[in-house]
Amino acid sequence: MTTHGDSATRSGAPAVAARSGSATGDDDRPATSAEGLPAALVDLRAAIGAARFPLALPSAEPARRTATGLTDQLDDYLLPRLARLDAPLLVVVGGSTGAGKSTLVNSLVQARVSAAGVLRPTTRSPVLVCNPADSAWFRQGELLPGLTRTNEPSDKPGTLHLVTAPALPAGLAFLDAPDIDSVVDANRALAGQLLAAADLWLFVTTAARYADAVPWELLRSARARGTAIAMVLDRVPPEAADEIAAHLSEMLAAQDLGAAPLFVLPETWVDGQGLLPDRVTAPLGAWFGRLAADAEARSAVVRQTLDGAIGALHPTVDALADAADEQVAAADALDERVRAAYRAAERTVDHGLKDGRLLRGEVLARWQEFVGTGEFFRTLEARIGRLRDRMVAAVTGRPAPAAELRTAIESQLVTLLRGVATEAAENAYTGWKAHPAGAALLEPELAHASADFAERAERMVRDWQRGVLELVRAEGGDRRFVARTAAYAVNATGLAVMIAVFASTAFIPTGLEVATGAGTTVAAQAVLQAIFGDQAVRNLASKAREDLLDRVTTLLAEEAARFLDRTGAARPAAETGGTLRRAAVEVEKARHRSGLSGAAGAALPAADQDGGR
């Protein structure tokens, strides 16, 4: 059973910064629901709703919570309240577990409207109590539209239990919120959401728990948003009332909350209905009675809380925009690590076509087998007219050397491509693993080249080889040699072009090339120059090399896409941060034009100095 004693109160103004101007909303004041402010808030709501924070950065989860909180506040309070400034004043009663919130609400309205007891958490669904004359406003669901209205207590999440109490004056409503430190996560989240929808916060704490951290965090948040606040210090031993009240007052002053009215309720017994004695709640009840009777004061409280909440949007949205920019920057950084890895792979292929490594081993052996003896090339320049006969004789009955050379070229290229693709995947994987956002996007298979990469590389090389043959046909279409020797000339010449591409130093043989290929490059050069001429040879080799590198770029881009598609799916729009900032600026401009920013600060009535003592 709850225990209390006598009460004491401290008078004060609401804990909001004083503002110039009338508190009454006089006729000569610009309308606070001026056309621009609601529209600006709707645009801001859309910008926040479109913001995404998918990458696992330290700022992401706080940003998601902030975005949700801002969206809830706009939907639950700012937009509906701005549309109806004359609606009843909503007092959200919040506090720690076991602070006696429900007992206090029941006592103030003189009816058991909210469950109270020793089992925690007691308040499962929030309870809103109002005068019967005001029930229509709260039943319409404009305020807190995401909560389903019920006429009975409910354990279902997302419900709001509506109760009417004739003893509660019209123009005033109490909302008994779940515990702000509830062991149930959903209750804590709902408590925060409800507190953000309050015109006036009535914080209830106890002599044993008034220094707890959680309430003070919420109180600082209320102060930052300019919300009107009143405090109830419950269950205070009479002999310690002055000392505890003085200490709490010092703590409030230290947090710029010294103007908040403070009501001290002593320990006492509840009656058979579970209500506090009238003498305990009389000062607080009288204070609310004066507020309910003064439409001008209620309007001022609404205006200053509304103005404070809207004014606090700008810095909060700026921080949200910064988090959005961090998302874009992180996505760019991850993409660059991938692109750098695959650019390095392309450079390795490019170097491999220059440094003679592709002329070693099987390719060299098959080329030498294909072209025959050195005497063939020594006689080639002197007897160009006999080229067709000699080359046909070299392969008559021996089609295998050409096919084997072509296969060797394919194998050598595919081996190089597999190596660079594997290295690029490893480098990209390592680069992402070192980044918090990248590590969260990784899958084990990304550490290696695609399972079908070798197959695709082989197909690409074969397509390139066919492209070289088409190039030879196109370049030699008007040359009698190609026309007369038909398919063999095209195939043989194409193979010579491929060999030339493997040493693309413009056919100036280096020591490495000569040593590696035993004259291979010079031999290929002689064949091609004999057929096409010197400049045509250079053009053929250059075009074939460019075609190969283009195909390699495409192949490696497909590999890089395995990474880039992940950031692409998670990447927020680049303009998100700018859109949020612009929307916040427009809200601030509209706020100043609306007249809300001129709301007065001294809106709450003074508390009874005697406090019933």
Side-chain angles (χ1 to χ4, degrees):
M1 187 172 291
T2 307
T3 59
H4 293 71
D6 281 342
S7 64
T9 60
R10 178 172 59 79
S11 63
V16 291
R19 301 176 178 89
S20 61
S22 169
T24 64
D26 296 334
D27 291 341
D28 59 350
R29 175 189 296 277
T32 54
S33 57
E35 185 176 319
L37 184 54
L41 288 173
V42 168
D43 289 345
L44 178 61
R45 168 68 173 81
I48 295 170
R52 297 289 180 269
F53 306 91
L55 296 177
L57 297 173
S59 62
E61 183 55 33
R64 285 191 285 268
R65 290 196 300 268
T66 297
T68 299
L70 288 172
T71 299
D72 287 342
Q73 189 181 26
L74 284 161
D75 292 344
D76 293 345
Y77 179 68
L78 293 178
L79 289 170
R81 174 49 88 183
L82 190 62
R84 281 289 307 275
L85 292 174
D86 61 338
L89 183 75
L90 181 62
V91 180
V92 175
V93 183
S96 303
T97 301
K101 301 183 302 296
S102 298
T103 299
L104 181 60
V105 170
N106 292 340
S107 301
L108 289 171
V109 302
Q110 300 177 27
R112 290 187 59 121
V113 295
S114 187
V118 296
L119 296 179
R120 306 296 173 200
T122 300
T123 303
R124 294 178 174 84
S125 61
V127 179
L128 191 149
V129 192
C130 63
N131 184 276
D134 295 331
S135 63
W137 159 249
F138 294 108
R139 287 193 185 280
Q140 288 170 359
E142 294 178 7
L143 199 72
L144 296 165
L147 299 181
T148 302
R149 274 55 174 168
T150 67
N151 293 322
E152 300 292 337
S154 174
D155 289 334
K156 294 182 179 179
T159 60
L160 179 63
H161 180 202
L162 292 181
V163 182
T164 59
L168 184 63
L172 189 68
F174 290 124
L175 199 164
D176 186 10
D179 300 330
I180 59 175
D181 57 354
S182 173
V183 295
V184 180
D185 291 343
N187 279 359
R188 290 199 309 275
L190 180 58
Q193 181 181 352
L194 298 177
L195 289 171
D199 294 314
L200 169 63
W201 287 14
L202 183 63
F203 269 91
V204 183
T205 187
T206 67
R209 304 196 59 183
Y210 69 88
D212 287 358
V214 173
W216 286 99
E217 181 180 345
L218 290 172
L219 286 168
R220 282 190 290 269
S221 174
R223 178 204 63 203
R225 287 187 288 189
T227 305
I229 301 170
M231 296 283 297
V232 173
L233 180 61
D234 197 10
R235 296 176 181 160
V236 181
E239 65 276 10
D242 291 340
E243 180 182 353
I244 294 175
H247 185 219
L248 178 54
S249 296
E250 291 175 2
M251 294 180 67
L252 289 167
Q255 298 293 332
D256 286 337
L257 292 165
L262 173 62
F263 296 85
V264 180
L265 305 187
E267 287 183 318
T268 188
W269 294 96
V270 297
D271 64 18
Q273 298 299 314
L275 307 181
L276 298 171
D278 289 343
R279 64 182 176 81
V280 171
T281 59
L284 184 57
W287 186 83
F288 276 118
R290 292 196 299 276
L291 183 59
D294 189 344
E296 203 171 274
R298 292 200 313 274
S299 174
V301 171
V302 169
R303 292 166 63 86
Q304 66 187 359
T305 296
L306 189 60
D307 179 55
I310 295 174
L313 291 175
H314 198 168
T316 306
V317 174
D318 275 349
L320 201 64
D322 290 342
D325 290 343
E326 286 182 23
Q327 291 275 315
V328 174
D332 290 342
L334 292 176
D335 285 353
E336 178 54 29
R337 294 184 186 195
V338 172
R339 292 192 176 101
Y342 284 91
R343 282 198 302 268
E346 291 181 38
R347 288 195 297 270
T348 300
V349 174
D350 187 24
H351 294 158
L353 298 179
K354 295 177 179 177
D355 62 12
R357 76 179 71 175
L358 293 174
L359 297 177
R360 299 183 178 96
E362 188 71 11
V363 171
L364 176 59
R366 298 287 77 80
W367 168 254
Q368 290 174 332
E369 180 180 318
F370 175 66
V371 300
T373 66
E375 180 183 357
F376 174 81
F377 292 102
R378 286 194 297 272
T379 60
L380 185 60
E381 290 182 335
R383 301 194 293 173
I384 295 297
R386 298 176 57 191
L387 180 62
R388 176 176 63 98
D389 296 335
R390 291 294 301 272
M391 295 198 68
V392 170
V395 296
T396 298
R398 296 181 58 211
E404 289 177 355
L405 174 57
R406 190 164 177 172
T407 299
I409 291 172
E410 176 185 325
S411 176
Q412 196 84 324
L413 272 174
V414 169
T415 298
L416 175 62
L417 292 172
R418 289 180 67 178
V420 299
T422 297
E423 183 178 8
E426 291 173 352
N427 290 339
Y429 188 94
T430 301
W432 273 25
K433 193 173 182 180
H435 193 292
L441 295 175
L442 287 174
E443 297 291 343
E445 61 268 19
L446 291 176
H448 313 284
S450 300
D452 65 343
F453 179 79
E455 178 184 342
R456 290 187 291 115
E458 290 170 3
R459 186 164 58 247
M460 184 276 287
V461 173
R462 288 194 293 269
D463 289 344
W464 172 68
Q465 289 176 327
R466 285 191 289 271
V468 171
L469 299 184
E470 291 301 320
L471 180 63
V472 168
R473 289 190 183 95
E475 292 290 327
D478 59 348
R479 299 176 186 276
R480 295 176 60 194
F481 171 79
V482 175
R484 289 166 57 196
T485 56
Y488 174 76
V490 171
N491 290 337
T493 306
L495 289 170
V497 170
M498 296 174 204
I499 290 296
V501 168
F502 283 8
S504 55
T505 52
F507 289 94
I508 302 173
T510 66
L512 175 62
E513 289 168 354
V514 172
T516 300
T520 300
T521 304
V522 179
Q525 178 185 14
V527 172
L528 295 173
Q529 286 181 345
I531 300 171
F532 293 100
D534 181 66
Q535 186 57 44
V537 168
R538 296 176 184 274
N539 291 340
L540 270 173
S542 177
K543 289 180 180 180
R545 181 176 181 275
E546 289 176 4
D547 182 39
L548 177 58
L549 291 176
D550 286 345
R551 293 175 187 269
V552 168
T553 296
T554 300
L555 182 67
L556 292 177
E558 293 171 356
E559 286 293 286
R562 298 183 305 149
F563 292 88
L564 299 178
D565 287 348
R566 291 172 182 262
T567 51
R571 174 185 290 275
E575 65 274 10
T576 297
T579 300
L580 286 167
R581 291 187 182 92
R582 287 190 296 273
V585 168
E586 290 304 313
V587 166
E588 189 64 12
K589 290 178 180 177
R591 167 180 165 247
H592 287 288
R593 289 195 301 265
S594 73
L596 269 182
S597 58
L604 293 178
D608 185 350
Q609 294 290 346
D610 294 333
R613 301 186 75 181

